[in-house]
């Protein structure tokens, strides 16, 4: 982890796009930034056309003035390479570098992200503009960090991609025999006799080959990473002391494996836009925990969030008073060293004119700007949380970087490749959704007041007392061994249905489901029965009833104890939930989609403590050096709540002994420990 140069404490600011505004507005901008306590802006992320209006002709004068102005006003720059938005001339000069969709349509300029990362002319143009920027600003005192590109995620199916895909496949599989075997091309006569016969998975007549599609998504992730690396190499060469990052975006359409990318950035940075306001708090916790996982437990940065509105389906929703602050504090509590937004000033035109800004259309005389300003005054008070070094033996792993560590002793496994694979067409149920399964696991912990880490399959998991494994469809032998070893050493695992099914090539593990986990879970399944409606489940200990939906299966215990059975339907009286002792630990298996209450019951049986805070109140602990600890208490509800806590309120200096009172949508950060005060 490397921190933006010249910045201490927490980062506060957002995407700044001065090219959209006349120069006099820039002066108002910096004055308002000072008022709001902004110390970092992402600059120039979509300004290629202003920087290079025709091929090779650079116009840096305006950016010189912006950078000088920012510097004079104490704002540092996360200077972006503008490569996510090539100018109109680029596509006209290089039509072969415009992306081709799966159905063969070549897209044209008119939006953003209209390029192919495998087109040599695009990479050359990107490297050229990156070099020009870095040569120009390498010594500028405002330069704090490089922000390469924006939200990598755009795929393409053109012939450049086909060539690069083949080269990638050769490196991955070695021989055509191995590839044919891995992809099971014997089915439907897909056997490849020459590498040149292989194309990207373009639109085809009926179901595509899932192994082909999966390898393509893996390839795209690495092709984009190659594009990032090409820019990073230039920036490292010219500015070795300036950290380099890119902003990760998360979604089913994003073919990026962020576990792999996290190794290539100096600071993990994410953008987060909750899908709805009702679930915004739990989704924010989810995204923040995921970012911390990618960062290996080290500090990371929330690079973008919405200031005023959230896009939700057919209409946008305004964040309610206090939510900008609460969501920002959630990120900080869970490891972000700052809170940044898209964008500083809401645009008056262009594609995203209705996206909120820190300065909305109404200007600074607005509720949103007042909350932004108050948040900017608040964050410096919390700087100690980011600066205190971590305790040497915190569960997330020790490190020498500044920044206390979030305390978490439960983990959820996260694997984007499972997400990609599980949602293939032609699978047993289109209602089995990986993200839903992982969200439910995380939600149960969040609602129970338990802070969770996300872990990468195959990781050693010694620090966790419980690990949840939702929908881990693809499992390599190494991952299966790691999970088994974790349980043998005394860990508790809760595995949910459609896990352990396939190997890393998406081929079914034979001999009974859940293939890779049969011995670990002490069960064998010979048949899946996806459900059209709910089926009753009865718990063995007290006869309580619940229901399963989406999925069921014929489970035969092979050493496992039955905790709940199906009570009706084709599987009447057969096991629905089991528990198996394996070595010194226990492994639970949930063979259907349980509602939250029933799933929570299984988690409590597995050792999850009862909730310590009222619903909607979030408690997160961070541990620093010498016994120092901070408690973030965030009340997402519109009622007042009390929680049990002790310490000194970092914001007011008040001493809290036993009872902490939280106002509606209120919050507190308490410091405790031997050096507190
Ligand atoms: C993303 C992008 C921004 C902007 C926002 C809002 O996070 O990085 O450029 O488009 O979404 O939609």
């Amino acid at each position: 982890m490397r921190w933006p140069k010249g910045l201490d404490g927490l980062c506060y600011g957002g995407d700044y796009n001065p090219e959209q505004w006349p120069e006099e507005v820039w002066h108002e901008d910096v004055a308002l930034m000072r008022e709001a306590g902004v110390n970092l802006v992402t600059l120039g992320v979509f300004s290629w056309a202003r920087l290079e209006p025709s091929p090779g002709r650079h116009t840096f004068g305006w950016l010189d003035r912006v950078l000088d102005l920012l510097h004079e006003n104490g704002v540092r720059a996360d200077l972006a390479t503008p490569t996510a938005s090539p100018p109109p001339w680029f596509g006209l000069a290089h039509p072969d570098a415009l992306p081709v969709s799966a159905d063969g349509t070549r897209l044209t300029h008119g939006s953003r992200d209209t390029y192919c990362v495998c087109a040599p002319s695009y990479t050359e143009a990107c490297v050229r503009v990156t070099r020009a920027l870095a040569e120009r600003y390498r010594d500028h005192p405002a330069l704090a960090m490089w922000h390469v590109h924006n939200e990598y995620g755009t795929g393409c199916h053109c012939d450049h991609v086909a060539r690069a895909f083949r080269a990638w496949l050769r490196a991955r599989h070695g021989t055509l025999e191995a590839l044919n075997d891995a992809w099971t091309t014997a089915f439907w006569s897909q056997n490849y006799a020459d590498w040149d016969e292989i194309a990207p998975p373009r639109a085809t007549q009926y179901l595509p080959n899932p192994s082909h599609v999966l390898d393509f998504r893996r390839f795209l992730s690495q092709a984009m990473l190659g594009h990032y690396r090409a820019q990073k190499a230039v920036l490292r060469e010219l500015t070795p002391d300036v950290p380099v990052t890119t902003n990760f975006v998360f979604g089913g359409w994003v073919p990026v494996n962020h576990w792999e990318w996290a190794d290539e950035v100096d600071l993990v940075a994410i953008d987060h836009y909750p899908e709805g306001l009702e679930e915004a708090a739990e989704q924010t916790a989810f995204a923040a925990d995921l970012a911390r996982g990618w960062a290996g437990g080290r500090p990371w940065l929330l690079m973008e969030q919405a200031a005023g509105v959230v896009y939700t389906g057919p209409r946008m929703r305004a964040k309610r008073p206090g939510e900008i602050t609460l969501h920002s504090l959630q990120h900080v509590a869970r490891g972000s060293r700052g809170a940044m937004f898209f964008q500083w000033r809401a645009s008056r035109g262009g594609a995203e004119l209705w996206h909120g800004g820190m300065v909305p259309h109404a200007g600074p005389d607005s509720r949103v700007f007042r909350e932004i300003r108050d948040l900017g005054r608040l964050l410096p008070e919390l700087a100690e949380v980011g600066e205190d070094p971590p305790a040497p033996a915190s569960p997330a792993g020790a490190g020498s970087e500044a920044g206390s560590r979030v305390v978490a002793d439960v983990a959820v496994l996260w694997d984007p490749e499972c997400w990609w694979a599980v949602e293939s067409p032609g699978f047993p149920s289109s209602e089995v959704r990986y993200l839903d399964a992982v969200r439910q696991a995380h939600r149960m912990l969040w609602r129970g007041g338990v802070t969770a880490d996300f872990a990468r399959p195959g990781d050693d998991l010694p620090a966790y007392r419980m690990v949840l494994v939702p929908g881990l469809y693809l499992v390599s032998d190494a991952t299966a061994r790691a999970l088994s070893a974790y349980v043998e050493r005394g860990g508790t695992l809760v595995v949910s249905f459609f896990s352990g099914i396939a190997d890393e090539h998406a081929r079914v593990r034979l001999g009974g489901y859940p293939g890779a986990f049969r011995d670990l879970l002490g069960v064998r399944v010979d048949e899946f029965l996806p459900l059209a409606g709910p089926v009753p489940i009865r718990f063995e200990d007290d006869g309580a009833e619940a229901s399963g939906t989406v999925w069921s299966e014929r489970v035969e215990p092979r050493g496992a104890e039955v905790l709940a059975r199906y009570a009706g339907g084709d599987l009447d009286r057969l096991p629905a939930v089991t528990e198996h002792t394996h070595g010194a630990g226990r492994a639970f298996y949930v063979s259907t989609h349980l509602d939250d209450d029933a799933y929570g019951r299984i988690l409590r049986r597995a050792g999850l403590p009862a909730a310590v805070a009222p619903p909607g109140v979030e408690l997160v602990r961070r541990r620093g050096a010498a016994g120092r600890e901070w408690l973030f208490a965030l009340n997402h509800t519109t009622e007042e709540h009390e929680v049990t806590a002790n310490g000194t309120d970092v914001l007011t200096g008040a001493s809290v002994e036993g009872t902490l009172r939280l106002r509606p949508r209120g919050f507190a950060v308490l410091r405790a420990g031997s050096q507190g005060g």
Side-chain angles (χ1 to χ4, degrees):
M1 202 275 291
R2 290 169 71 189
W3 196 237
K5 243 180 92 185
L7 265 176
D8 299 318
L10 305 178
C11 297
Y12 190 55
D15 277 36
Y16 181 39
N17 299 305
E19 68 272 25
Q20 296 177 17
W21 300 97
E23 212 155 323
E24 57 270 21
V25 176
W26 305 353
H27 293 273
E28 191 198 12
D29 284 335
V30 288
L32 291 175
M33 284 180 193
R34 288 175 74 115
E35 191 183 334
V38 165
N39 58 14
L40 183 70
V41 292
T42 296
L43 183 63
V45 73
F46 297 118
S47 58
W48 195 344
R50 277 294 290 270
L51 290 170
E52 193 179 359
S54 57
R57 187 169 71 83
H58 294 121
T59 45
F60 287 123
W62 68 276
L63 191 54
D64 295 352
R65 296 198 293 287
V66 173
L67 277 163
D68 292 348
L69 196 59
L70 290 171
H71 179 61
E72 285 155 18
N73 286 277
V75 179
R76 304 189 62 75
D78 172 32
L79 190 54
T81 67
T83 54
S85 221
W89 59 256
F90 176 78
L92 293 173
H94 304 286
D96 65 302
L98 293 170
V100 174
S101 52
D103 67 0
T105 307
R106 189 168 300 271
L107 305 181
T108 52
H109 182 270
S111 182
R112 65 173 174 189
D113 289 303
T114 319
Y115 49 73
C116 165
V117 292
C118 294
S121 56
Y122 174 61
T123 301
E124 281 159 25
C126 291
V127 166
R128 223 176 28 241
V129 72
T130 297
R131 181 171 288 281
L133 260 182
E135 280 173 347
R136 181 93 180 177
Y137 298 114
R138 58 197 294 179
D139 297 321
H140 198 286
L143 177 62
M145 183 158 69
W146 288 110
H147 180 296
V148 172
H149 202 81
N150 189 65
E151 295 190 339
Y152 275 97
T154 304
C156 175
H157 297 74
C158 74
D159 290 341
H160 294 302
V161 167
R163 270 188 294 279
F165 183 39
R166 287 177 202 127
W168 183 87
L169 289 170
R170 273 177 191 258
R172 176 171 173 81
H173 295 282
T175 64
L176 274 176
E177 289 69 29
L179 177 139
N180 281 311
D181 181 44
W183 287 9
T184 319
T185 55
F187 191 76
W188 282 350
S189 187
Q190 289 184 349
N191 192 73
Y192 293 103
D194 192 309
W195 291 99
D196 287 343
E197 294 171 2
I198 305 173
R202 296 173 175 144
T204 190
Q205 201 279 334
Y206 181 41
L207 299 175
N209 180 326
S211 307
H212 180 191
V213 175
L214 178 63
D215 262 358
F216 186 64
R217 290 196 79 152
R218 288 170 168 150
F219 153 78
L220 280 179
S221 179
Q222 292 185 16
M224 291 177 204
L225 189 54
H227 183 264
Y228 165 83
R229 278 201 198 107
Q231 294 190 37
K232 180 176 152 188
V234 172
L235 300 171
R236 271 283 192 276
E237 175 200 325
L238 294 172
T239 54
D241 58 335
V242 179
V244 181
T245 192
T246 184
N247 48 341
F248 292 174
V249 62
F250 172 82
W253 55 276
V254 179
V256 168
N257 185 340
H258 294 109
W259 291 119
E260 292 171 359
W261 279 61
D263 298 337
E264 298 281 343
V265 292
D266 293 326
L267 174 65
V268 166
I270 68 155
D271 298 346
H272 185 244
Y273 297 92
E275 283 156 20
L277 274 180
E278 298 322 314
E279 300 79 30
E282 65 193 46
Q283 289 187 5
T284 299
F286 182 100
D289 289 342
L290 203 45
R292 191 177 64 257
W294 292 328
R298 290 179 287 272
W300 53 275
L301 181 61
L302 173 69
M303 189 64 95
E304 285 182 31
Q305 62 179 324
V309 295
V310 177
Y311 286 109
T312 52
R315 65 194 68 83
M316 51 181 57
R317 297 265 312 264
K319 286 194 178 179
R320 295 164 293 207
E323 282 186 331
I324 295 176
T325 308
L326 275 179
H327 296 169
S328 299
L329 292 181
Q330 281 190 281
H331 284 290
V332 172
R334 291 171 187 269
S336 174
R337 278 187 61 187
M340 309 271 291
F341 295 82
F342 178 87
Q343 58 181 333
W344 163 251
R345 192 182 273 280
S347 306
R348 67 181 312 186
E352 293 193 326
L353 75 168
W354 292 113
H355 197 282
M358 298 167 81
V359 182
H361 288 149
D365 183 10
S366 54
R367 186 192 67 73
V368 166
F369 184 73
R370 281 189 282 277
E371 189 170 337
I372 289 288
R373 189 196 50 205
D374 292 348
L375 176 59
R377 290 179 184 164
L378 171 80
L379 287 179
E381 309 280 315
L382 302 178
E384 62 181 62
V385 178
E387 284 159 5
D388 206 67
S394 65
S400 56
E401 300 90 354
S404 57
R405 296 297 181 99
V406 174
V407 179
D409 63 1
V410 174
V412 180
L413 286 201
W414 171 256
D415 186 354
E417 295 191 353
C418 285
W419 190 0
W420 305 341
V422 160
E423 294 180 17
S424 305
F427 268 38
S429 168
S430 60
E431 288 171 329
V432 174
R433 290 189 206 99
Y434 180 72
L435 187 59
D436 287 356
V438 183
R439 281 210 194 282
Q440 187 192 26
H442 187 271
R443 177 171 68 238
M444 297 311 301
L445 301 171
W446 187 79
R447 290 191 181 164
V450 173
T451 306
D453 280 347
F454 278 103
R456 183 180 186 168
D459 275 1
D460 218 13
L461 303 162
Y464 300 110
R465 68 190 163 97
M466 189 186 300
V467 175
L468 308 190
V469 183
L472 198 70
Y473 174 75
L474 298 173
V475 184
S476 68
D477 292 346
T479 295
R481 274 196 303 274
L483 289 174
S484 191
Y486 162 74
V487 178
E488 276 156 27
R489 287 193 303 257
T492 300
L493 204 66
V494 182
V495 178
S496 58
F497 64 93
F498 220 35
S499 292
I501 304 300
D503 66 13
E504 64 269 42
H505 301 301
R507 292 175 305 200
V508 171
R509 292 172 173 274
L510 303 177
Y513 317 118
F517 298 143
R518 278 197 307 264
D519 293 345
L520 169 60
L521 296 170
V523 298
R524 180 174 180 273
V525 171
D526 68 352
E527 198 178 11
F528 293 148
L529 289 88
L531 296 170
V535 65
I537 304 290
R538 189 165 298 123
F539 283 93
E540 289 284 274
D541 52 358
D542 61 2
E545 286 212 355
S547 63
T549 50
V550 178
W551 191 262
S552 66
E553 48 191 45
R554 189 179 298 281
V555 179
E556 179 199 341
R558 294 262 177 113
E561 179 192 345
V562 180
L563 300 184
R565 294 179 187 274
Y566 292 99
D570 295 337
L571 298 176
D572 190 33
R573 286 199 275 272
L574 293 181
V577 183
T578 59
E579 175 180 343
H580 185 227
T581 302
H582 184 76
R586 296 178 302 158
F588 292 76
Y589 185 53
V590 181
S591 73
T592 181
H593 173 76
L594 293 176
D595 58 46
D596 282 0
D597 284 350
Y599 187 49
R601 182 179 165 136
I602 300 300
L603 295 183
R604 280 195 299 283
R605 160 107 188 190
L608 194 72
V612 291
V617 175
E618 177 172 355
L619 302 178
V620 181
R621 279 175 205 286
R622 296 185 52 147
R623 196 167 290 149
R628 297 229 298 187
E629 201 166 281
W630 288 265
L631 173 71
F632 281 73
L634 309 170
N635 179 5
H636 297 285
T637 75
T638 48
E639 282 103 55
E640 186 168 301
H641 282 294
E642 286 182 355
V643 293
T644 307
N646 293 296
T648 306
D649 189 319
V650 174
L651 300 168
T652 65
S655 168
V656 175
E657 283 161 27
T659 303
L660 173 65
R661 196 158 289 127
L662 295 165
R663 289 192 325 275
R665 293 216 182 99
F667 54 87
V669 182
L670 301 188
R671 182 197 315 113
S674 54
Q675 291 181 1

